[in-house]
Amino acid sequence: MRTLSSVEELDFAAAAMPAHVLVAPMSDHALLEATRTGDEDAFAVLVGRYRNQITSYIYRMTNDYEESVDLAQETFVRLYRAAGRYQTTHAFSTYLYRIATNLAISELRKRKRRRLVSLTGLLDPGDGGEAIDFNPVDQQPLQDVSLVDTERREAVKRAISTLPEKYRAPLVLRDVQGKSYDEIAAILCTSEGTVKSRINRARNFLRDKMHAYL
Amino acid sequence: MMILRECRATRRNIDETGLDEGLAPRASEHISVCASCREFHDQRIRLREMVGSLQPVDAPADFDVRLRARLVGERAGKTTWFAFPGFVFGTPAVAMIATVIVLAGAIMLLNRAGWFSRSPHQFAAKSQPPPKQVGPSPAPGVMKDTGAPVPANVVVLADDRRRAVKQQRNRMSNVAAKPGNVTSRDFTLQPAPVFTQNEAERNAAEISLSKPFEFSLQDSRGVTHKISLPPVSFGSQQLMQNGQRFPPASYSANRVW
């Protein structure tokens, strides 16, 4: 067991550990239990397992990379702080995603408060969603296929970021992160029926905004 | 109707089924015969593929470094310092300060208005309307004929005058009740003893209104105050004695009152 004492000890255990130690990977619960007892290496392994997933998820929610990295770090800081209170009633990833979702939604609400006036107002969903500029589709055929893909991906990103937060989170969790309905329901602390309904509505929103690509 | 219900069930199945999973046999059958549901299915598949085609974003290379630095900083107490300005200039803090200022101002105003020092009798007196007077109200300080037997030495004042006297007494009793001052009894809650002329004659050895009267008082700090009063007289012939005025009431004490 190694205890963190300074910034100089920055090599995380997953990278620094010899190969023979990593033969039997510990479960998330076991790692968090070890973190609770002060094992910094166990926490480092947890971070290594989930940092990309959480960063990616928050990025799809906020559409801002720097912000998503910052919020992902905050997610792990909160996990570290609350390690003593963690209960194994849900999967660890559910717990972690719930923290990340709450942070992302808080950030979206802060942005909404900061936003003064929407200059376009064309794509305001009208039910609390975040309205941002949405470039209309260029109907001219493009020569380069990769450019088409890039443009389509950008359009999808922008369309997702215009969704109301209550529809955005379940859609990203389902269609981007590939979570099951019951897991999403646990993350969002709601019923499975509500999750299905919200995902359906989110897809209808996207269909309306992306109809030129479909 | 039957077809609509079938369409709804099929579309729900399309929505809930994963991309890598197959549709239910009944839904597959329905799609083959219903053009609308087939179009819905194709559209939904394309949409989900587009959303799913978004590349996952990786955390930056220095993610762990920054996280560890953040945890070390937090453990060293730096986070508290950084969080403090955020709290001070945040909306909750401003709201809290404003609430405290408003409360403090309200308490000061109420205190100045004497709200906290009023006795329950005053509240009751305030809430009761003044009694109606049938005839013309007498001038302040004039004896009022109420019809009830009134002792000879008691003067009944008009209502407003009586109220003013009562308030004056309350103020005096409040001052006397403050800590550090001479303690006294609050006669607003119970009547003060009244010495009538007959009682004075009965206790002539102790109190004689026609002779100079001296008495001593001792306050809570042990200081003795001596007060002497001239004889009380209601006749003009007693105002002068041997061609001289009565000396005024004198007072002596071993300490300043």
Side-chain angles (χ1 to χ4, degrees), chain A residues 51 60 74 80 200 204, chain B residues 15 44 55 64 70 75:
Chain A
R51 64 185 166 199
R60 293 295 166 220
E74 181 63 26
Y80 185 80
N200 181 42
N204 288 340
Chain B
D15 251 342
R44 273 291 201 261
Q55 299 296 318
D64 298 349
R70 204 162 160 170
R75 200 173 288 174

Side-chain angles (χ1 to χ4, degrees), chain A residues 60 134 137 148-160 171 175-177 203 205-214, chain B residues 19 41-56:
Chain A
R60 293 295 166 220
F134 184 70
V137 180
V148 176
D149 285 346
T150 307
E151 188 196 334
R152 189 162 36 195
R153 274 200 292 271
E154 284 302 312
V156 174
K157 271 170 57 180
R158 284 195 298 270
I160 289 174
L171 181 96
D175 288 348
V176 181
Q177 300 285 316
R203 285 174 182 159
F205 268 120
L206 282 188
R207 183 197 59 203
D208 294 344
K209 290 174 181 179
M210 304 276 305
H211 62 89
Y213 290 103
L214 296 173
Chain B
L19 284 175
H41 174 258
D42 295 345
Q43 208 179 44
R44 273 291 201 261
I45 295 292
R46 275 199 299 275
L47 182 70
R48 288 165 69 178
E49 280 174 350
M50 279 169 62
V51 174
S53 71
L54 294 173
Q55 299 296 318

Side-chain angles (χ1 to χ4, degrees), chain B:
Chain B
M1 188 68 180
M2 188 67 182
I3 293 173
L4 275 178
R5 199 183 303 159
E6 198 68 31
C7 287
R8 206 178 302 140
T10 302
R11 290 181 185 202
R12 194 181 303 130
N13 188 251
I14 291 168
D15 251 342
E16 293 175 8
T17 308
L19 284 175
D20 50 349
E21 299 166 15
L23 288 175
R26 194 165 175 174
S28 299
E29 276 176 32
H30 180 76
I31 282 175
S32 61
V33 295
C34 179
S36 170
C37 287
R38 198 181 315 126
E39 191 189 339
F40 178 85
H41 174 258
D42 295 345
Q43 208 179 44
R44 273 291 201 261
I45 295 292
R46 275 199 299 275
L47 182 70
R48 288 165 69 178
E49 280 174 350
M50 279 169 62
V51 174
S53 71
L54 294 173
Q55 299 296 318
V57 175
D58 286 344
D62 63 344
F63 187 90
D64 298 349
V65 176
R66 283 159 63 182
L67 176 61
R68 191 163 280 250
R70 204 162 160 170
L71 287 171
V72 171
E74 185 169 277
R75 200 173 288 174
K78 286 177 187 169
T79 311
T80 314
W81 280 103
F82 285 121
F84 186 67
F87 172 75
V88 167
F89 299 111
T91 313
V94 171
M96 203 171 77
I97 291 167
T99 308
V100 168
I101 289 172
V102 168
L103 279 177
I107 289 168
M108 279 177 64
L109 281 174
L110 288 175
N111 195 26
R112 191 173 292 176
W115 190 263
F116 297 118
S117 56
R118 284 182 188 163
S119 66
H121 290 270
Q122 276 178 285
F123 283 109
K126 275 217 164 234
S127 61
Q128 286 172 1
K132 276 190 178 177
Q133 292 182 348
V134 179
S137 62
V142 175
M143 284 181 71
K144 186 182 167 186
D145 187 12
T146 56
V150 179
N153 59 340
V154 174
V155 175
V156 179
L157 300 176
D159 279 348
D160 49 354
R161 175 78 179 141
R162 192 164 40 189
R163 208 174 296 129
V165 169
K166 199 172 181 181
Q167 282 175 359
Q168 178 81 9
R169 270 194 213 150
N170 282 340
R171 274 199 289 274
M172 289 172 70
S173 67
N174 287 330
V175 170
K178 283 183 180 174
N181 289 351
V182 179
T183 54
S184 66
R185 290 172 67 190
D186 186 359
F187 289 120
T188 57
L189 300 177
Q190 55 187 27
V194 176
F195 290 98
T196 59
Q197 184 65 36
N198 295 337
E199 285 172 355
E201 281 176 358
R202 242 184 279 130
N203 305 320
E206 298 161 13
I207 302 170
S208 175
L209 295 178
S210 59
K211 292 177 181 175
F213 179 56
E214 261 187 22
F215 62 96
S216 300
L217 287 174
Q218 197 170 31
D219 63 18
S220 61
R221 289 175 295 185
V223 181
T224 307
H225 307 274
K226 192 174 177 185
I227 297 172
S228 62
L229 296 171
V232 177
S233 168
F234 298 101
S236 60
Q237 72 279 2
Q238 291 184 15
L239 284 174
M240 302 290 287
Q241 198 175 50
N242 300 329
Q244 288 182 338
R245 275 186 174 275
F246 286 121
S250 62
Y251 160 74
S252 67
N254 55 358
R255 287 175 69 173
V256 177
W257 190 307

Side-chain angles (χ1 to χ4, degrees), chain A residues 39-51:
Chain A
D39 187 352
E40 301 288 343
D41 293 341
F43 183 66
V45 174
L46 272 179
V47 172
R49 275 185 196 175
Y50 286 99
R51 64 185 166 199

